[in-house]
Amino acid sequence: MRKSFRSIALGVTAFLALSVLSACGSSNSSTASTLDSGQAQVLKVAFNQPENHPQFKAMKEFGEKLKERTGGKYTVEVYPNELLGAQRETIELVQSGTIAMSIVAGSLMENFNPDFVVFNLPYVFDSKDHQMSVLNNPEVVGDLYKSTEDKGMTVLGAFHSGIRNVYNKTKPIETPQDLAGLKIRIIESDTNIKMMGLMGGTGTPMGQGEVYTAIQSGVLDGGENNELIYTNLKHVEIAPYYSYTQHLMIPDYLIINTKLLNGMSEEHRNIFKEEFAKAIDKEVELWDADVATAKQAAEAAGAKFNQPDIKIFQEAVKPLLEEKLTTDNTKALYEKVRKAAQ
């Protein structure tokens, strides 16, 4: 069924891409004329998680508020479950203006500005509150979020996306030695590959939609993610050992086509940003309750949770921080992040 679903999803992706191109692919460069004609502009948002995810819920409410406050000039359609493609693919669709927005993992943004690496380093954030106090503070991230505009996209803000932990089908992970020989799915980035190597395993980049089958067939031994994804995507069925290594707190960014954003009236752009700020707060509010529910469901499905001593892993990944924090920009940004924790 999963292979079949993937095939269907790919077909839907192609159809939607063609539909958006023909129906409103050029609207980003002619937003004013579209709105002047009284037609509502449909903003398609790519998302790689299911409808019960806090980010989906927050974005749905965001769309309702945006439509209400703009008098129906803008409507938002969120496509979950990678229906518009894997995250890397959807970034390209946003850049080209084929779709309006996408929610993407922070690691992928390193490919467009290496300074994003600071927020993707292991153990850089101490808590969810610490993370969110940094990621939506214009004094810290303003220039960084605008730095990709010449590539056709702008970062609007960041969602909390949980604390990532390792899970696998073989055994509890207590030390880096326990990860030796295990192939663990990671988000594609040089940083994550090196991180997993230092943690003792072998990092294997792969799209989220392929992970279940890969673990089931033995191509992978496990993954690393938060409790919501672990439970919602039913990875507990084929990888019951979930270990709280707490190694990453990578944000998810909402990116938007830059021409589309700039083409909005000042009034609508301000409404857009105000409502998205509220959506971020809403998502954070939903997160803890949803994690508790997901963990309970995973335990009922046979998950075995354990709490290793994270100091061992923190020490193991220190060389990665030294390797990545090499420029004045990254060092200054890292200092701001750590200062916010005090």
Side-chain angles (χ1 to χ4, degrees):
M1 284 296 294
R2 293 182 181 276
K3 288 184 178 179
S4 176
F5 175 80
R6 182 65 178 168
S7 299
I8 293 171
L10 289 173
V12 172
T13 299
F15 171 77
L16 287 171
L18 289 173
S19 299
V20 176
L21 277 170
S22 60
C24 59
S26 61
S27 64
N28 292 343
S29 59
S30 58
T31 302
S33 61
T34 301
L35 296 180
D36 288 344
S37 69
Q39 298 176 12
Q41 185 160 7
V42 179
L43 306 179
K44 296 183 182 291
V45 185
F47 187 46
N48 74 333
Q49 302 302 330
E51 294 92 331
N52 62 349
H53 194 281
Q55 291 173 9
F56 181 91
K57 297 175 189 175
M59 286 299 295
K60 183 177 180 181
E61 186 171 312
F62 161 75
E64 294 168 354
K65 294 292 187 181
L66 182 66
K67 181 178 181 180
E68 177 185 339
R69 291 190 62 190
T70 62
K73 295 292 187 182
Y74 290 97
T75 61
V76 174
E77 295 179 356
V78 185
Y79 290 81
N81 300 312
E82 291 190 341
L83 283 175
L84 296 181
Q87 289 186 346
R88 176 177 286 281
E89 299 165 5
T90 65
I91 290 175
E92 296 174 359
L93 293 176
V94 171
Q95 289 177 292
S96 67
T98 305
I99 63 174
M101 293 177 279
S102 181
I103 298 174
V104 300
S107 297
L108 294 175
M109 297 305 294
E110 293 179 36
N111 298 315
F112 303 96
N113 183 341
D115 290 350
F116 277 98
V117 71
V118 174
F119 302 138
N120 305 330
L121 292 172
Y123 302 107
V124 65
F125 297 112
D126 292 354
S127 67
K128 177 180 65 178
D129 290 341
H130 174 210
Q131 182 193 44
M132 299 312 290
S133 71
V134 169
L135 292 177
N136 294 295
N137 182 348
E139 294 183 4
V140 178
V141 299
D143 291 339
L144 181 66
Y145 286 4
K146 294 177 182 178
S147 67
T148 59
E149 290 181 346
D150 63 338
K151 299 175 178 66
M153 61 182 172
T154 302
V155 177
L156 286 169
F159 283 120
H160 175 69
S161 62
I163 302 173
R164 300 177 78 96
N165 306 285
V166 170
Y167 55 89
N168 77 98
K169 62 183 180 182
T170 307
K171 59 187 175 182
I173 303 301
E174 295 287 353
T175 69
Q177 287 71 34
D178 292 329
L179 278 168
L182 298 185
K183 299 184 293 294
I184 304 297
R185 181 266 176 179
I186 56 169
I187 301 172
E188 182 179 354
S189 84
D190 175 69
T191 302
N192 283 348
I193 291 173
K194 291 181 178 178
M195 175 201 69
M196 188 53 61
L198 291 169
M199 289 178 64
T202 300
T204 305
M206 185 177 292
Q208 188 66 268
E210 303 170 22
V211 175
Y212 186 102
T213 302
I215 296 176
Q216 188 179 46
S217 65
V219 173
L220 292 175
D221 296 296
E224 52 85 45
N225 223 311
N226 61 68
E227 300 95 330
L228 295 187
I229 293 176
Y230 176 64
T231 302
N232 289 342
L233 299 187
K234 302 187 183 302
H235 291 178
V236 59
E237 296 177 352
I238 36 83
Y241 297 97
Y242 191 99
S243 304
Y244 279 99
T245 49
Q246 304 178 58
H247 54 276
L248 283 179
M249 208 177 297
I250 297 178
D252 284 336
Y253 297 108
L254 180 67
I255 59 171
I256 187 171
N257 178 271
T258 300
K259 287 183 180 179
L260 171 62
L261 181 64
N262 292 342
M264 293 180 183
S265 68
E266 183 177 357
E267 177 189 4
H268 287 164
R269 189 161 53 246
N270 288 337
I271 290 172
F272 191 98
K273 292 180 178 179
E274 287 171 8
E275 291 303 327
F276 182 60
K278 294 177 184 177
I280 291 172
D281 291 340
K282 180 67 174 181
E283 189 262 357
V284 172
E285 177 186 321
L286 292 169
W287 191 271
D288 287 342
D290 283 7
V291 164
T293 300
K295 185 175 180 181
Q296 185 176 23
E299 289 176 325
K304 301 174 178 63
F305 293 91
N306 70 293
Q307 297 273 355
D309 182 358
I310 65 170
K311 292 180 181 178
I312 303 172
F313 293 96
Q314 287 174 323
E315 190 66 29
V317 299
K318 277 186 177 180
L320 182 59
L321 273 66
E322 297 172 0
E323 176 186 340
K324 294 296 181 179
L325 300 174
T326 57
T327 67
D328 291 341
N329 282 346
T330 54
K331 290 177 181 178
L333 200 53
Y334 183 79
E335 288 177 6
K336 288 180 180 179
V337 174
R338 294 311 306 161
K339 185 176 181 181
Q342 298 172 3

